[in-house]
Structure formats: structure tokens, C-alpha cells
Amino acid sequence: GFSVVLYDVTTLYFETFTADELRVPGFSKDNMPQQPQVVVGLLVTREGFPLGFELFPGNTFEGKTMLPVLEAFVAKHGVSTPTVVADAAMLSEDLLKEIDRRGMCYIVAARLANAPPALIDQACLALDQQDGRCIRLPSKHGQMVCSFSSKRYKKDKHAFDKALAKAELMVDKGQPGKRAKFVKAGSKDNHQLDQERIERARRLLGVKGYCTNIPEQELDNASVIARYHDLWHVEKAFRMAKSDLASRPVFHFDQTAIRVHLLICFIALAMARALELNTAASLRHNIDALWKVTDAQLYNRITGQRHVLRSPIPDHALKIIASLGMSY
């Protein structure tokens, strides 16, 4: 169904150093910052089936891509009130207000580190580091659902200790030229630890926030978190497109050819995801099975006859074909 859709963006780089109005250098998710790229916004269902995509210049801010994709989706399918799920890169007060004004719903990851101190205090006090506990609080981005996880705490604590050790080492050695998360800029030879930021990060260990405009009586806290965790489907779709479907790098330079290239990749992604959903097996497993079905053609130049010798079809290949409602 289209009631809940997942949204994310990625970048595709080009094998050239010549930029134009579409292919522009920007923040590269492929670690290719010096090469021109485009930004691709992808919308998928909760099962990861692709619904639509839009193409943007390579220096477009991620937060400005979601509304055009949603508008195109709503106009094409006539869905008036979809719930869109996205990560923290889409967290913009103006964007969320516009989505809410149009009668649509959203679930977006919150940036708790930038939240007001009073909100952090209230959330941490209510959660009390109890595994699985949730709380819903009002915020400028709508209602904020906060939860605590002991598993997340261990992961956050490891990253926190590592960042703090790096910051302390830099301050001790007086290395102002390097960036550190917990270092406060001072005079040239007087950098200090940012104690306020350190304490805020320490208090938020294991805490995750989610912003939504859906009332609790319509969608409880656990369901909000579960919807957000479905985002791994769109991340998987991007990995599949870039690896199995080899959508990058792009060698075209004409804008029409670039859009056709992405359209072919999108259609292939839809076919691949349909194959996975029907067979309950990975795309790589299905491809390997189907590639084992081969033909050898023998052509007699004198008689003009052509003989086809086909390899035996493996059982798992027949199961794949049958799962698609096809016969062979």
C-alpha cells in the first residue's frame, strides 16, 4: 500500500571532471568529492518496492529534495495523505510545516544534540536509562518520541569514549588545525574541551528521538519507532542499485541520456525487488541460478539449419520461474 512511504537520497558520480548545470560537485556519498555528480531522491514502499525517483543537481541540499518527490508521487497516484518516513537529513522546520499544511504525515529522526536543554532534561529524566522505555514530548518539529536502548547505549558509549579521547589528546598536544567533536575553539594556542557539549552527549547516550505529526491515539510510540526502522529497505535499494545493478559511475553527459540511464536502473530495481519479494531469496542468489540456464546454438552453413542445445534447468531456477507465475 501507499499509506506509508520511505524516502532517502543518494549521489551518483560521473567519469569526468567537467561540470554543467546538472552534474555539479557536491557532498559525495560515494567518496568522490572532486567529480561532478547528481543527487537522486528515491521513494519506496515499506517492503522496499520503488515507487518513484527524481533527479537533482549534484550540490542540492538533501532537505530540499523530499517535497518535489512527494508532490510528484501524490499527483501520479492520487494518494492524499501518505506518511513519509525519512532520516535526520530531512529535519527542517519549514519543510515539516509545509508537509503538515498539505495534510500529509511524517516520521523523521530528530537531532537530539541540537534540542533545547530543557527538552533534553525532560526526556532523560523520564527515560531514566530504562531499556525499551519511551516518552512523547512537544517540540518545534511536532511531537518528539524519545526512547532508550541499552544496546544503543553500548554503541554510543564506545563512539563517545573514542571521540573524547581524541579531543583530550588534541588539547594536550595543542593541535588547533584538526577538527575534533568536543574541542572548543579558543586562541591560537589555547584550545579547550567543550565541557557543555561533552555533558550533553553523555546524557544522551542510548537515547534516540523521532519527530512526527501523528497523534498518539492514531499511532503509538512503539509503532512510530517501528515505522522509522523500516528505512533500511530504501538503504538496501540504494546498495542494490549501486552494486548489483551497477548504476555508477555514469558515463553519459547529455541530460536526456542521464535521465534515461536512471530510468533503466529504476525499472531494473523494481524488477529485482519484485523478484526478491516473490522468491524470498536475494537478488544475487536469483541471478546466479538463472545464469546457469544457457544455450548453445549450432548453425549449419550448408543446409541453413540451426540446432539449439539447452543445458538442464536447475530445480531452483524452475522454482524462481514458478514463483513469478510463469511456465517454462
Side-chain angles (χ1 to χ4, degrees), residues 25-78:
F27 175 74
S28 174
K29 297 192 176 186
D30 298 320
N31 198 24
M32 295 288 185
Q34 296 187 10
Q35 292 182 267
Q37 64 180 16
V38 292
V39 174
V40 182
L42 179 65
L43 203 65
V44 305
T45 66
R46 289 187 62 193
E47 295 76 25
F49 189 85
L51 298 174
F53 75 97
E54 292 292 334
L55 188 63
F56 302 91
N59 59 351
T60 304
F61 173 59
E62 293 184 12
K64 294 183 178 179
T65 65
M66 187 164 72
L67 198 56
V69 177
L70 281 175
E71 289 175 338
F73 169 74
V74 169
K76 184 169 185 178
H77 298 286

Side-chain angles (χ1 to χ4, degrees), residues 11-16 30 32 35-36 242 246-252 261 265:
T11 57
L12 296 176
Y13 67 93
F14 292 77
E15 282 292 337
T16 180
D30 298 320
M32 295 288 185
Q35 292 182 267
K242 290 184 176 182
S247 61
R248 62 172 186 182
V250 185
F251 297 95
H252 304 290
H261 169 81
C265 292

Side-chain angles (χ1 to χ4, degrees), residues 4-9 29 41-49 62 66 83-91 106-110 208-211 223-240 273:
V4 177
V5 293
L6 315 176
Y7 181 75
D8 204 355
V9 302
K29 297 192 176 186
L42 179 65
L43 203 65
V44 305
T45 66
R46 289 187 62 193
E47 295 76 25
F49 189 85
E62 293 184 12
M66 187 164 72
T83 297
V84 60
V85 184
D87 62 17
M90 307 301 156
L91 189 64
Y106 60 83
I107 299 174
V108 182
K208 178 74 174 178
Y210 315 86
C211 295
S223 298
V224 169
I225 297 173
R227 294 288 187 276
Y228 179 81
H229 287 170
D230 286 335
L231 267 179
W232 71 270
H233 285 296
V234 69
E235 294 169 355
K236 177 185 176 182
F238 279 136
R239 288 195 300 270
M240 184 187 298
R273 192 65 189 121

